[in-house]
């Protein structure tokens, strides 16, 4: 459920993007940082390009740091929910829509934190296949 209030408390949200293993993709956010208020819905776009000469697929995992912040980050829509496929040389724009739960300011573990990093790592779909028997 979307928040009904916006708290006047600023957090600096940083975005970190990574590619793991053999996936030959270029992946970066349209903005590296943004100011975020709890309860405020934000949309961030990420540019992704398949640099290889074949169609490849990947899935993104994410991490929030500092970790106590993770329970307050609510993703409404995220490219990380599904496997993504890009044709050779294809470029796409992936979108993340999210908000910080206003309760973040009441938590002793998070109320004094000013900087938060949201990191995404794309893994090749082949990465997951090799672990199956």
């Amino acid at each position: 459920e979307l928040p009904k209030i916006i708290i006047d408390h600023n957090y600096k949200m940083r975005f970190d993007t990574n590619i793991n293993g053999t996936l030959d993709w270029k992946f970066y956010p349209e903005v590296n940082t943004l100011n975020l208020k709890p309860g405020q819905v934000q949309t961030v776009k990420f540019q992704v390009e398949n640099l290889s000469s074949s169609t490849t697929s990947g899935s993104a995992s994410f991490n929030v740091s500092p970790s106590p912040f993770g329970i307050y980050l609510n993703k409404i829509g995220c490219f990380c929910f599904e496997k993504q496929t890009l044709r050779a040389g294809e470029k796409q724009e992936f979108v993340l829509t999210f908000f910080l739960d206003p309760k973040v300011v009441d938590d002793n573990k998070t109320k004094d934190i000013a900087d938060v990093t949201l990191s995404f790592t794309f893994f090749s779909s082949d990465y997951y296949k090799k672990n199956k028997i």
Side-chain angles (χ1 to χ4, degrees), residues 38-74:
Q40 180 180 36
V41 175
Q42 291 282 349
T43 298
V44 178
K45 297 175 183 175
F46 294 79
Q47 303 302 315
V48 185
E49 181 179 1
N50 181 355
L51 302 174
S52 75
S53 59
S54 60
T55 298
T56 54
S57 298
S59 297
S61 66
F62 66 92
N63 185 48
V64 180
S65 180
S67 60
F69 237 85
I71 62 172
Y72 298 106
L73 184 78
N74 293 283

Side-chain angles (χ1 to χ4, degrees), residues 2 6-8 11 17-18 25 42-43 51 64 67 71 82 90 93 100 108-109 112 118 122 125 129:
L2 292 176
I6 295 175
I7 308 272
D8 190 22
Y11 293 94
T17 54
N18 305 281
W25 287 8
Q42 291 282 349
T43 298
L51 302 174
V64 180
S67 60
I71 62 172
E82 300 177 351
E90 183 180 9
E93 185 175 87
L100 279 179
N108 287 334
K109 296 178 195 165
D112 295 324
L118 178 56
F122 260 106
S125 293
K129 289 179 189 174

